[in-house]
Amino acid sequence: VPAYNEGRQVLVTLRSLVASDYPAHKLQIIAVDDGSKDRIYLDGVQVGEKNVSGKMKPTVHPLWIGFDPIEIANYFRGAIDEVMIYNRALSAAEITALNNAQKAAPAVTPGVVAEYLLDGNARDTGPYRNDGVLTNAVATANRFGFGSKAMRLNGKDAFAEAPNSSVMNSENATISFWV
Protein backbone atom coordinates (compact mmCIF):
# COMPACT_ATOMS: atom_id res chain seq x y z
CA VAL A 1 0.00 0.00 0.00
CA PRO A 2 1.67 3.24 -1.04
CA ALA A 3 0.64 5.07 2.14
CA TYR A 4 4.24 6.19 2.63
CA ASN A 5 3.59 9.20 0.37
CA GLU A 6 2.00 11.13 3.21
CA GLY A 7 4.16 10.07 6.06
CA ARG A 8 4.82 7.40 8.55
CA GLN A 9 1.67 8.02 10.65
CA VAL A 10 -0.67 6.68 7.95
CA LEU A 11 1.52 3.60 7.57
CA VAL A 12 1.59 3.03 11.34
CA THR A 13 -2.21 3.40 11.51
CA LEU A 14 -2.78 0.94 8.67
CA ARG A 15 -0.32 -1.52 10.23
CA SER A 16 -2.16 -1.32 13.52
CA LEU A 17 -5.52 -1.90 11.84
CA VAL A 18 -4.47 -4.96 9.89
CA ALA A 19 -2.62 -6.41 12.89
CA SER A 20 -5.75 -6.21 15.03
CA ASP A 21 -8.05 -9.13 15.69
CA TYR A 22 -10.49 -8.29 12.92
CA PRO A 23 -13.97 -9.83 12.78
CA ALA A 24 -14.54 -13.21 11.18
CA HIS A 25 -16.88 -11.62 8.62
CA LYS A 26 -13.93 -9.63 7.17
CA LEU A 27 -13.16 -5.98 7.40
CA GLN A 28 -13.04 -3.23 4.78
CA ILE A 29 -10.25 -0.70 5.33
CA ILE A 30 -10.24 2.58 3.40
CA ALA A 31 -7.57 5.27 3.59
CA VAL A 32 -8.32 8.68 2.04
CA ASP A 33 -5.97 11.61 1.44
CA ASP A 34 -7.74 14.78 0.31
CA GLY A 35 -4.77 17.13 0.57
CA SER A 36 -5.76 18.52 3.98
CA LYS A 37 -6.53 15.37 6.00
CA ASP A 38 -5.76 11.66 5.96
CA ARG A 39 -8.80 9.66 7.06
CA ILE A 40 -9.11 5.97 7.96
CA TYR A 41 -12.43 4.12 7.65
CA LEU A 42 -13.36 0.64 8.91
CA ASP A 43 -16.44 -0.93 7.35
CA GLY A 44 -17.56 2.48 6.07
CA VAL A 45 -17.18 4.30 9.41
CA GLN A 46 -14.45 6.91 9.95
CA VAL A 47 -12.23 5.84 12.86
CA GLY A 48 -9.34 8.27 12.60
CA GLU A 49 -7.88 11.29 10.87
CA LYS A 50 -4.82 13.47 10.88
CA ASN A 51 -4.03 16.83 9.34
CA VAL A 52 -1.69 16.89 6.36
CA SER A 53 -0.36 19.77 4.34
CA GLY A 54 -0.63 19.66 0.61
CA LYS A 55 -1.25 17.19 -2.12
CA MET A 56 0.38 13.78 -2.35
CA LYS A 57 3.72 13.74 -4.10
CA PRO A 58 4.30 11.58 -7.18
CA THR A 59 6.34 8.45 -6.62
CA VAL A 60 8.68 6.46 -8.82
CA HIS A 61 8.21 3.34 -6.70
CA PRO A 62 6.10 0.37 -7.78
CA LEU A 63 2.83 -0.41 -6.02
CA TRP A 64 3.41 -2.97 -3.26
CA ILE A 65 0.56 -4.86 -1.63
CA GLY A 66 1.26 -6.94 1.45
CA PHE A 67 4.32 -5.42 3.11
CA ASP A 68 6.02 -2.21 4.26
CA PRO A 69 7.86 -0.77 1.23
CA ILE A 70 9.81 1.69 3.39
CA GLU A 71 11.56 -0.89 5.53
CA ILE A 72 11.07 -3.85 3.15
CA ALA A 73 9.61 -5.70 6.13
CA ASN A 74 6.39 -6.26 8.09
CA TYR A 75 4.79 -8.67 5.66
CA PHE A 76 1.02 -8.93 6.06
CA ARG A 77 -0.31 -12.31 7.18
CA GLY A 78 -3.88 -13.04 6.15
CA ALA A 79 -6.23 -12.80 3.19
CA ILE A 80 -6.62 -9.59 1.20
CA ASP A 81 -9.25 -9.00 -1.46
CA GLU A 82 -10.50 -6.36 -3.90
CA VAL A 83 -7.81 -3.67 -3.75
CA MET A 84 -9.18 -0.56 -5.48
CA ILE A 85 -7.23 2.67 -5.97
CA TYR A 86 -8.93 5.92 -6.95
CA ASN A 87 -7.43 9.08 -8.44
CA ARG A 88 -9.51 11.23 -6.11
CA ALA A 89 -10.56 11.45 -2.49
CA LEU A 90 -13.91 9.74 -1.95
CA SER A 91 -16.43 11.55 0.24
CA ALA A 92 -17.80 9.99 3.44
CA ALA A 93 -21.11 9.35 1.65
CA GLU A 94 -19.30 7.58 -1.23
CA ILE A 95 -17.35 5.43 1.22
CA THR A 96 -20.55 4.41 3.00
CA ALA A 97 -22.17 3.60 -0.34
CA LEU A 98 -19.10 1.62 -1.48
CA ASN A 99 -19.06 -0.36 1.75
CA ASN A 100 -22.78 -1.12 1.54
CA ALA A 101 -22.58 -2.11 -2.13
CA GLN A 102 -19.57 -4.38 -1.61
CA LYS A 103 -21.23 -6.27 1.20
CA ALA A 104 -23.45 -7.90 -1.42
CA ALA A 105 -21.41 -7.71 -4.63
CA PRO A 106 -18.43 -5.77 -6.03
CA ALA A 107 -19.11 -2.17 -7.05
CA VAL A 108 -17.04 0.30 -9.03
CA THR A 109 -17.15 4.02 -8.31
CA PRO A 110 -16.06 6.61 -10.93
CA GLY A 111 -12.38 7.44 -10.68
CA VAL A 112 -11.02 3.91 -10.24
CA VAL A 113 -7.53 3.76 -11.77
CA ALA A 114 -6.62 0.26 -10.55
CA GLU A 115 -8.55 -2.74 -9.30
CA TYR A 116 -6.79 -5.86 -8.10
CA LEU A 117 -9.30 -8.61 -7.34
CA LEU A 118 -6.40 -10.86 -6.30
CA ASP A 119 -8.27 -13.94 -7.47
CA GLY A 120 -5.21 -16.11 -8.02
CA ASN A 121 -3.24 -13.39 -9.83
CA ALA A 122 -2.32 -9.70 -9.64
CA ARG A 123 -4.18 -8.70 -12.80
CA ASP A 124 -5.49 -5.14 -12.82
CA THR A 125 -9.11 -5.25 -14.00
CA GLY A 126 -9.31 -1.44 -13.88
CA PRO A 127 -9.27 0.71 -17.00
CA TYR A 128 -5.46 0.98 -17.27
CA ARG A 129 -4.55 -2.72 -16.89
CA ASN A 130 -1.44 -2.14 -14.75
CA ASP A 131 -0.94 -5.86 -14.12
CA GLY A 132 1.33 -7.00 -11.34
CA VAL A 133 2.84 -10.26 -10.14
CA LEU A 134 2.35 -12.31 -6.98
CA THR A 135 5.29 -13.61 -4.96
CA ASN A 136 4.64 -16.49 -2.55
CA ALA A 137 0.95 -15.56 -2.27
CA VAL A 138 -1.62 -18.36 -2.26
CA ALA A 139 -5.14 -18.16 -3.65
CA THR A 140 -7.81 -18.47 -0.95
CA ALA A 141 -11.54 -18.00 -0.43
CA ASN A 142 -12.81 -14.41 -0.38
CA ARG A 143 -15.06 -12.89 2.27
CA PHE A 144 -18.11 -14.53 0.65
CA GLY A 145 -16.47 -17.98 0.85
CA PHE A 146 -15.81 -18.28 -2.90
CA GLY A 147 -12.58 -20.21 -3.49
CA SER A 148 -9.50 -18.68 -5.13
CA LYS A 149 -11.00 -15.17 -5.11
CA ALA A 150 -8.54 -13.54 -2.65
CA MET A 151 -4.88 -13.99 -1.77
CA ARG A 152 -3.38 -15.30 1.45
CA LEU A 153 -0.14 -13.70 2.57
CA ASN A 154 2.14 -15.56 4.98
CA GLY A 155 3.49 -12.61 6.99
CA LYS A 156 7.02 -13.51 5.92
CA ASP A 157 7.77 -13.11 2.22
CA ALA A 158 4.48 -12.96 0.28
CA PHE A 159 3.32 -9.85 -1.57
CA ALA A 160 1.98 -8.44 -4.82
CA GLU A 161 3.90 -5.93 -6.95
CA ALA A 162 2.68 -3.76 -9.83
CA PRO A 163 4.84 -1.35 -11.85
CA ASN A 164 4.78 2.35 -11.10
CA SER A 165 2.13 4.02 -13.22
CA SER A 166 1.47 7.70 -13.93
CA VAL A 167 -2.29 7.14 -13.48
CA MET A 168 -1.67 6.30 -9.81
CA ASN A 169 0.30 9.50 -9.24
CA SER A 170 -2.70 11.73 -8.63
CA GLU A 171 -2.81 14.63 -6.18
CA ASN A 172 -5.49 12.91 -4.06
CA ALA A 173 -6.17 9.23 -3.58
CA THR A 174 -8.35 6.61 -1.96
CA ILE A 175 -7.42 2.96 -1.49
CA SER A 176 -9.97 0.36 -0.44
CA PHE A 177 -9.44 -3.29 0.47
CA TRP A 178 -10.89 -6.12 2.56
CA VAL A 179 -8.89 -8.15 5.09
Side-chain angles (χ1 to χ4, degrees), residues 74-96:
N74 302 309
Y75 289 85
F76 178 74
R77 184 177 49 82
I80 188 166
D81 189 19
E82 292 188 40
V83 175
M84 299 172 75
I85 301 169
Y86 295 82
N87 64 355
R88 63 190 182 87
L90 296 185
S91 69
E94 288 174 310
I95 288 170
T96 299

Side-chain angles (χ1 to χ4, degrees), residues 4-63:
Y4 59 85
N5 272 353
E6 281 297 35
R8 194 140 192 83
Q9 187 59 37
V10 174
L11 183 61
V12 168
T13 301
L14 290 173
R15 261 194 216 149
S16 172
L17 291 171
V18 297
S20 66
D21 187 20
Y22 57 88
H25 73 275
K26 303 299 179 198
L27 178 69
Q28 183 188 42
I29 300 172
I30 297 179
V32 176
D33 179 321
D34 68 5
S36 64
K37 291 191 182 293
D38 283 341
R39 293 179 177 88
I40 303 293
Y41 294 80
L42 297 181
D43 285 336
V45 177
Q46 184 177 328
V47 296
E49 73 177 27
K50 80 170 190 127
N51 292 328
V52 296
S53 58
K55 303 287 184 182
M56 292 177 60
K57 297 168 186 64
T59 180
V60 297
H61 301 285
L63 170 69

Side-chain angles (χ1 to χ4, degrees), residues 105-119:
V108 178
T109 306
V112 170
V113 293
E115 180 177 34
Y116 299 93
L117 300 179
L118 303 173
D119 52 357

Side-chain angles (χ1 to χ4, degrees), residues 62-65 67 116 122 130-135 151 159-164:
L63 170 69
W64 297 91
I65 299 170
F67 81 105
Y116 299 93
N130 189 34
D131 294 341
V133 295
L134 299 179
T135 299
M151 76 175 181
F159 59 90
E161 176 184 359
N164 182 30

Side-chain angles (χ1 to χ4, degrees), residues 130-149:
N130 189 34
D131 294 341
V133 295
L134 299 179
T135 299
N136 298 323
V138 177
T140 189
N142 67 6
R143 67 189 183 282
F144 300 113
F146 299 124
S148 299
K149 296 294 183 185

